[in-house]
Amino acid sequence: MTTGKLMRASQWARREFAQGSIPTARTLRNWVESGEVAGRIIGSAVFIFESEKAGLDTQVSQAVSKLLRA
């Protein structure tokens, strides 16, 4: 299970994608719902764990974060 701080999906997308390539809010929601990226939907708001990296499998991202903390 992923733990850590959550950030707004829109903020995460601005961090991870180049200007003009930022996915839509619907796409971000779909990614969280499908498990493509680890996050939570709380009410109508979409949040993604700050440790998630675009294009990197969630399990790989978790392993890298764990190694960096060691």
Side-chain angles (χ1 to χ4, degrees), residues 9-31:
S10 58
Q11 181 184 8
W12 178 85
R14 284 192 302 275
R15 183 189 79 185
E16 293 295 315
F17 292 88
Q19 186 71 14
S21 298
I22 297 171
T24 65
R26 183 71 226 158
T27 297
L28 295 169
R29 177 180 287 276
N30 288 342
W31 288 351

Side-chain angles (χ1 to χ4, degrees), residues 38-54:
R40 299 285 182 269
I41 297 173
I42 302 171
S44 62
V46 180
F47 298 91
I48 297 175
F49 286 100
E50 67 181 1
S51 60
E52 285 294 294
K53 301 294 181 198

Side-chain angles (χ1 to χ4, degrees), residues 48-67:
I48 297 175
F49 286 100
E50 67 181 1
S51 60
E52 285 294 294
K53 301 294 181 198
L56 189 61
D57 183 83
T58 296
Q59 291 179 333
V60 173
S61 180
Q62 289 172 358
V64 169
S65 293
K66 189 175 182 180
L67 286 171

